[in-house]
Every structure is written in C-alpha cells, then in structure tokens.
C-alpha cells in the first residue's frame, strides 16, 4: 500500500470535522517580495504543547520585528488528536503553513513528497547544528527542517527519600546493578524505590542499548531486539517490577509515575529533560529535594540514551512558501534558540547554548547530566513508518515488564511487529 493511501485511510471518519488551518492549495506567487511590497501575511503555526505556546509567541514577536509584514498565529492541538488532524490535512492538501513534526513520523511524510525542503538563511545555518540532529530530519540526502531542540534521558531522584533511608545520592558512574540495589533499599513504608514508565525511550530502549543490543539493525531494515542483549535490557525492568521495587504498569496507568514521584511515593524515575519545567514548579523542587543523575551504565560499559527533536515543517504545496521558509529559518536560528533555552523550554539544537537551559533551573536542580547525556545520545530508533509499530512494540514489551508474558515471548512478538511494518513500507 502506498504511504499516501495509508495517510488517507488513517483519516477516514475525521475529515468531515476538520477545520482547515491557514493553508490552501499551493500558490508560489503570493510571497513574491513578502515583507517588502506591503502585503500582510498571517501564518498558522501548528503545535501540540500548550506549555510551550507562551515562549513560542515570544519567538514569533522577535520574528515579526524582523519581518513586519508577517505575523504568526498558533494552533494548539492535543497530541492524542494531533496526528489524526495532520493525516487528514496531508491527504487533502490542507496542511498548516508551518507545523510541528517528530522524527518518528517524519520519514512517512517525506517519502511521499508532502514536505518542502529547507535551505540556510535568516540566521539558520545547517552546518552549525550537530549532524546527529540534522540526520533526524534528513531524507534521501535532503534536509527538511532545522531541528528545534535536543533532548536526552536521565534519572530524577528524591533527595529526601535517600536521606531518610541513609543512602548516598547516586553518582555519574553508577551501574544498572547499583540502580537495582538502590531501588530495593529505598522500597518500603509506602514508597517504591523506582518506577517504570510507559516511555520506551526511558526504559527498554536505553537498557537494551546499554546491554549491547539494539531495537533495529544498523541500516534500519529489520528488527534486532530479539537477542540476549535485548532480553537482558527488558528483563532489567521486569525484575524491578517483580521484586516490588517499582509499581506495575497497571498501577501507573491509574496514577502516573511523575505524580507518584512528586507525591514522594516513588524515589527515582527515568525520564527526559522535558520534565524540568513541570518539576520546577513543584513543592518538592522548592525544598531543593530533587536531584538529577545520568542514566546507569549497563553491561556493555555505556550509559547512552536516545535523543529526539521537534522539527518545523512546511508543506510542499505551501500557500506562502517564502514566508513559511523564513519562519522555519528563524526558528532554527541561534536568536530563537536563546529565547527557547533561557525560558526553560529545553536544550536547543546548539550545544553552546546548553548553559542557558541549565542556568534557568539552577535554583531548583542541576540539569548538567542532561547536557552531558545529549552530547553522546543516539538518534531514536525509527523507520519509514515508525508509528505503525512503535505503540504495539511498547504494548508487547510492557506485558513482559508487567509479568503477564515471558520476556522471550514478548521480544519474539515485538520483532514480528517491526518486521511486518517494515515490509509493508517497502523494506525500510
């Protein structure tokens, strides 16, 4: 099945309710001299995170100051509905002027010519951005976005619970064995020493990698997780749950691990740098009781996690191609990155600006471990149609972590899911 037909089929049942967002069929003439001939252009920028909207509005104000005839309005769609809306728009040619993309979905859109490539300008220089980040939004040798940010995984911990248990805080050289022993020592009196999460990046993706395994083979044409290293990486989390050192996935479905962490019922939780903003507003942070430490080392002698990034995309049939490209370029500039990092949204695409993000939170906690982690992080595992397998793989491995099936059985099933999806997408 062609991918464009896949997009269209995913949108069945929703098209009748879609509100077209600021983009009609392509018109490559309307931008001639945009910002110079007096024509006013309003671009629609689609995103899924309301917490980031105020900072993006600051960035758009800076952009309009340099481009007086171009204004930007935001369209925020909850993540659970975001891709259904984008799929509908992609199938009927009505994507917004500029919209958020993630690396998991990017190859699917790029492979069908739905997106327009980018070029340097307005402060954005592709070569200034780390190759790892550019690779996330490169398809067949063409760059389609200047990555908006960088992230990585580390471990958040509650200093108060460590103090109460008489334990030293974890150090940067700790191992998965140390993690397990520490979680066990912290467990008791209504407290779990650690918590699994539903985020595969924070759990099995990292531990499989650090046991020496991988989710995909090197050229991303087949699954590779059904291996002794893969089994060890998943078994780590299954053992943590089985021992009672972590709540089950069933339990965290009722009360998420981050709420449990902030309510001091969980002592450690692995997650991304994106948790800094909500955690900083907590009473626990106000007490200076939140610590951050690097991911533990596995048997392979590594503590590498994955990195991802938001991409700013424009459709190939953009109504205002010059204005849309100008906005994407500005969003990829260091000027925009400084606003982004200094307001605590995240680590930017520019490593030299990591200090701005760390400094923003220095009164609450030290985020240096995230800056260190992202410097060595792998790109997230992805294929042309990642969205066709990622959720189901998470469900299968979650069953093993929960103790509902054996790890071996779950890995075999997960591998079949990935390989079938790759075959359906033409082998990549």
């Amino acid at each position: 099945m062609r991918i464009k037909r896949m997009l269209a089929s995913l949108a069945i049942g929703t098209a009748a309710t879609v509100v077209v967002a600021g983009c009609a069929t392509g018109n490559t003439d309307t931008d001639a001299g945009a910002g110079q001939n007096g024509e006013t252009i309003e671009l629609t920028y689609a995103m899924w995170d309301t917490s980031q909207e105020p900072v993006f509005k600051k960035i758009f104000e800076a952009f309009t100051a340099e481009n007086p005839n171009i204004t930007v309005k935001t369209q925020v769609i909850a993540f659970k509905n975001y891709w259904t809306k984008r799929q509908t728009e992609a199938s009927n040619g009505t994507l917004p002027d500029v919209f958020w993309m993630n690396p998991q979905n990017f190859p699917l859109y790029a492979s069908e010519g739905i997106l327009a490539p980018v070029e340097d300008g307005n402060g954005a220089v592709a070569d200034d951005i780390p190759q790892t980040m550019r690779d996330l939004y490169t398809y067949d040798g063409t760059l389609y976005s200047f990555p908006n940010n960088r992230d990585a995984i580390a471990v958040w911990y509650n200093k108060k619970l460590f103090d109460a248990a008489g334990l030293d805080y974890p150090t940067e050289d700790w191992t998965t064995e140390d993690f397990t022993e520490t979680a066990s020592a912290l467990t008791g009196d209504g407290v779990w020493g650690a918590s699994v999460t539903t985020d595969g990046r924070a759990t099995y993706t990292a531990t499989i990698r650090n046991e020496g395994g991988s989710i995909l083979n090197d050229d991303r044409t087949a699954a590779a997780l059904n291996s002794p290293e893969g089994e060890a990486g998943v078994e780590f989390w299954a053992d943590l749950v089985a021992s009672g050192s972590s709540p089950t996935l069933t339990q965290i479905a009722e009360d998420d691990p981050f709420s449990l962490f902030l309510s001091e019922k969980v002592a450690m939780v692995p997650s991304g740098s994106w948790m800094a903003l909500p955690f900083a507003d907590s009473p626990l942070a106000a007490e200076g009781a939140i610590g951050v430490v690097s991911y533990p080392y596995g048997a392979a002698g590594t503590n590498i996690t994955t990195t991802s990034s938001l991409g700013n995309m424009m459709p190939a049939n953009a109504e205002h191609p010059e204005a849309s490209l100008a906005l994407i370029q500005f969003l990829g500039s260091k000027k925009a990155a400084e606003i982004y990092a200094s307001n605590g949204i995240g680590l930017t695409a520019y490593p030299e600006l990591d200090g701005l993000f760390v400094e923003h939170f220095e009164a609450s906690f030290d985020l240096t471990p995230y800056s260190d982690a992202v410097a060595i992080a792998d790109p997230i595992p992805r294929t042309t149609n990642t969205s066709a397998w990622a959720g189901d793989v998470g469900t299968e491995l979650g069953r093993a972590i929960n103790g509902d099936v054996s790890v071996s059985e779950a890995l075999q099933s997960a591998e079949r899911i990935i390989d079938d999806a790759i075959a359906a997408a033409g082998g990549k």
Side-chain angles (χ1 to χ4, degrees), residues 156-160 169 261-262 273 275-293 343-344 356-370:
W156 299 87
Y157 65 92
N158 183 320
K159 295 179 180 179
K160 290 168 62 179
Y169 302 148
F261 177 76
L262 293 177
S273 44
M275 294 306 299
L277 207 58
F279 279 178
D281 289 334
S282 69
L284 202 59
E287 296 178 59
I290 296 180
V292 183
V293 66
N343 281 273
L356 293 176
F357 179 66
V358 174
E359 289 168 12
H360 180 82
F361 293 102
E362 61 185 358
S364 300
F365 29 66
D366 180 11
L367 295 181
T368 303
Y370 279 111

Side-chain angles (χ1 to χ4, degrees), residues 286-376:
E287 296 178 59
I290 296 180
V292 183
V293 66
S294 65
Y295 210 84
Y297 284 82
T302 60
N303 67 338
I304 294 172
T305 62
T306 53
T307 187
S308 185
S309 177
L310 290 172
N312 297 296
M313 299 286 166
M314 59 183 283
N317 67 340
E319 182 178 7
H320 307 291
E322 291 184 13
S324 292
L325 177 59
L327 176 59
I328 289 172
Q329 290 169 330
F330 187 82
L331 287 164
S333 70
K334 289 184 181 179
K335 181 178 288 188
E338 288 173 356
I339 299 171
Y340 187 89
S342 61
N343 281 273
I345 297 300
L347 295 160
T348 74
Y350 299 98
E352 64 267 34
L353 299 180
D354 286 1
L356 293 176
F357 179 66
V358 174
E359 289 168 12
H360 180 82
F361 293 102
E362 61 185 358
S364 300
F365 29 66
D366 180 11
L367 295 181
T368 303
Y370 279 111
S371 181
D372 294 340
V374 76
I376 60 170

Side-chain angles (χ1 to χ4, degrees), residues 73 95 125 137 176 194 245 261 272-273 282 296 318 326 354 366 372 391 412:
K73 67 177 180 180
L95 284 162
V125 179
Y137 291 110
T176 50
S245 294
F261 177 76
S273 44
S282 69
D354 286 1
D366 180 11
D372 294 340
Q412 292 175 40

Side-chain angles (χ1 to χ4, degrees), residues 115-268:
L115 307 173
V118 296
E119 59 188 34
D120 290 356
N122 290 298
V125 179
D127 286 345
D128 290 346
I129 297 171
Q131 185 69 48
T132 299
M133 309 313 301
R134 282 181 279 150
D135 286 349
L136 292 173
Y137 291 110
T138 297
Y139 187 83
D140 281 350
T142 299
L143 184 66
Y144 286 85
S145 177
F146 300 99
N148 194 67
N149 61 346
R150 291 149 52 243
D151 62 32
I153 307 297
V155 177
W156 299 87
Y157 65 92
N158 183 320
K159 295 179 180 179
K160 290 168 62 179
L161 294 177
F162 272 77
D163 293 342
L167 297 176
D168 292 335
Y169 302 148
T171 57
E172 299 300 312
D173 60 349
W174 69 330
T175 65
T176 50
E177 289 82 1
D178 296 329
F179 186 104
T180 298
E181 291 173 5
T182 301
S184 178
L186 289 162
T187 299
D189 297 326
V191 172
W192 286 284
S195 180
V196 296
T197 77
T198 57
D199 181 2
R201 287 182 58 195
T203 53
Y204 58 80
T205 300
T207 48
I208 289 174
R209 169 67 173 84
N210 294 316
E211 289 296 317
S214 179
I215 302 296
L216 302 169
N217 65 4
D218 289 344
D219 59 6
R220 300 185 302 195
T221 58
L225 76 172
N226 187 20
S227 66
E229 296 81 9
E231 186 161 352
V234 177
E235 195 71 53
F236 172 81
W237 297 104
D239 289 347
L240 202 69
V241 170
S243 70
S245 294
S246 167
T248 66
L249 287 170
T250 303
Q251 288 170 314
I252 66 169
E254 299 174 0
D255 200 353
D256 76 87
F258 308 112
S259 296
L260 291 171
F261 177 76
L262 293 177
S263 62
E264 302 187 53
K265 294 179 181 178
V266 161
M268 301 185 294

Side-chain angles (χ1 to χ4, degrees), residues 9 14 17 48 57 69 130 132 207 224 260 272 274 317 336 390 399 410:
S9 66
T14 63
T17 62
W48 61 70
K57 286 184 175 180
N69 288 1
T132 299
T207 48
L260 291 171
W274 55 84
N317 67 340
R399 292 173 64 211

